[in-house]
């Protein structure tokens, strides 16, 4: 049934998708001596406690600042503080600075125009044109931030809202998709009629000027593409060979997903009162082609101007055909009936397809609220804070383990060895952030460099001595002492 393959090229993520407990236990099992294994587990705990302490004050400042811009209770707290508008402006920019730093540490990236175009170039479950009501969104907050903190490849809507994305997954749906197949067959038949009558030129001229080159599609991937990139296949109805026989059989469609998405924006205020609330919403497993469901302040979908143009063109074509048939000496009633049936059928198809898509859209929005949305506001920030610690701990532990087991290494060799370890032991690929990992190891004081620039680590027991007993260990020891008889 498949017509052609559509493959998307995506860059590898820096995030390590292995759970920290599984990572630590798997690495500990690779250590031969039980005494070294115990020291390694102790080191992992002390690394985690220490990194958590490093970020504690920054996280507290972030949460304190957000309490002033929480859309629910932030306005009351701002009134109690009795701050001037200029002071509030400074505080909200400080909050965004902290937020973007934590996003970067959590390996979230701002979705670029190119990535958004790739996502929107296909259709999955959502088949309606969704647009943002920009009049309901503030433009000053993010515009000011990016003016003071320039970023590369910012999307065109970055002054109104920002979409952060992290991780790539796959979503598959198996169903009959009967109406979608009927719609596709009718659409292809209608397109064939338009080509034969050359009416399609009216629409092609209008759309050709809007076509963009998509550098991440399979037919444009060249030999210079990096071997480390991920290639994910899209399987959709639009690319399948359909027939009347295939209408009654189940099919499976597939779409790459953004594993995590965070959307940041502010609503526009009124002429009498400005809105200082900052919305931070967290979603999971969002299909790329259905990315519109996470957009803020969406307009209600409606028939597009192109749909209305098609309605009018269909009516005119049908009217001309009927009038032409009536002017013949012997008007064939069956020809007239066939023409009218085709026109009415196409108009009905467009209308009922829209109604079905509206129902699907409502279901997807409901699903995004209850299933896809992980959290918002303070809950999202707590997720991010934990993500930062988890990722940095995993990077440090993997780097130290490689140096401990495989000896001295340059930065490039260490990067490669860490990625090979993740691939061989856990079956995952990622773009390991070796620079950040080595920086943390150096800050902990448990690695050094030789005369030719190679990194090496101290022994396990010495590493534990350098870090020292942490506050968390003292608290746990005190609890154990209090509970013992």
């Amino acid at each position: 049934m498949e017509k052609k393959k559509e493959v998307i090229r995506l860059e590898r993520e820096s995030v390590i998708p292995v759970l920290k407990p599984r990572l630590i236990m798997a690495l500990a099992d690779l250590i031969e001596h039980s005494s070294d294994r115990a020291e390694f587990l102790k080191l992992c705990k002390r690394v985690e406690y220490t990194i958590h302490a490093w970020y504690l004050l920054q996280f507290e400042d972030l949460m304190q600042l957000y309490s002033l811009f929480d859309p629910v209770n932030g306005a009351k707290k701002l009134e109690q503080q009795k701050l001037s508008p200029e002071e509030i402006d400074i505080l909200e920019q400080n909050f965004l600075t902290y937020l973007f730093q934590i996003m970067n540490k959590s390996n979230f990236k701002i979705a670029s125009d190119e990535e958004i175009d790739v996502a929107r170039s296909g259709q999955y479950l959502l088949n309606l044109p969704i647009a943002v009501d920009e009049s309901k969104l503030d433009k000053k907050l993010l515009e000011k931030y990016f003016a003071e903190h320039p970023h590369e490849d910012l999307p065109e809507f970055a002054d109104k809202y920002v979409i952060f994305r992290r991780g790539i997954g796959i979503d598959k749906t198996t169903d009959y998709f009967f109406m979608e197949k009927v719609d596709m067959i009718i659409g292809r038949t209608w397109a064939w009629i338009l080509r034969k009558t050359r009416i399609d030129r009216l629409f092609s001229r209008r759309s050709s000027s809007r076509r963009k080159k998509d550098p991440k599609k399979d037919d444009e991937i060249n030999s210079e593409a990096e071997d480390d990139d991920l290639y994910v296949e899209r399987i959709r109805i639009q690319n399948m060979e359909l027939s009347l026989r295939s209408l009654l059989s189940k099919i499976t469609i597939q779409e790459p997903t953004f594993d995590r998405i965070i959307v940041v924006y502010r609503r526009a205020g009124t002429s009498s009162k400005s809105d200082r609330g900052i919305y931070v919403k967290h979603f999971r497993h969002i299909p790329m082609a259905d990315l519109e469901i996470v957009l803020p302040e969406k307009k209600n979908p409606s028939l597009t101007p192109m749909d209305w143009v098609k309605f009018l063109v269909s009516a005119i074509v049908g009217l001309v055909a009927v009038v032409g048939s009536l002017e013949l000496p012997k008007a064939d009633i069956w020809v007239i009936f066939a023409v009218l049936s085709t026109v009415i059928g196409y108009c009905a198809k467009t209308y009922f397809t829209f109604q079905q898509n509206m129902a699907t859209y409502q279901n997807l929005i409901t699903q995004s609220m209850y299933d896809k949305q992980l959290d918002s506001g303070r809950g999202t920030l707590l997720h991010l804070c934990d993500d930062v610690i988890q990722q940095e701990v995993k990077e440090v532990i993997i780097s130290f383990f490689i140096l401990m087991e495989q000896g001295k290494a340059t930065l490039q060799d260490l990067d490669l060895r860490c990625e090979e370890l993740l691939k061989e032991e856990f079956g995952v690929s990622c773009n390991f952030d070796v620079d950040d990992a080595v920086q943390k190891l150096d800050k902990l004081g448990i690695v050094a460099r030789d005369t030719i620039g190679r990194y090496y680590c101290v022994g396990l027991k010495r590493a534990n001595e350098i870090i020292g007993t942490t506050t968390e260990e003292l608290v746990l020891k005190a609890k154990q002492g209090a509970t013992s008889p």
Side-chain angles (χ1 to χ4, degrees), residues 11 110-120 165 216 258:
E11 294 180 2
I110 298 176
S112 64
D113 272 330
E114 182 181 331
E115 292 167 337
I116 298 296
D117 288 341
V118 170
R120 290 178 175 175
R165 55 94 182 163
K216 292 195 175 183
F258 291 121

Side-chain angles (χ1 to χ4, degrees), residues 64 70 264:
Q64 188 66 32
D70 186 340
V264 180

Side-chain angles (χ1 to χ4, degrees), residues 391-403:
Q391 289 300 314
E392 301 233 331
V393 168
K394 287 186 283 188
E395 289 172 358
V396 169
I397 289 173
I398 292 172
S399 300
F400 185 88
F401 179 84
I402 290 295
L403 293 175

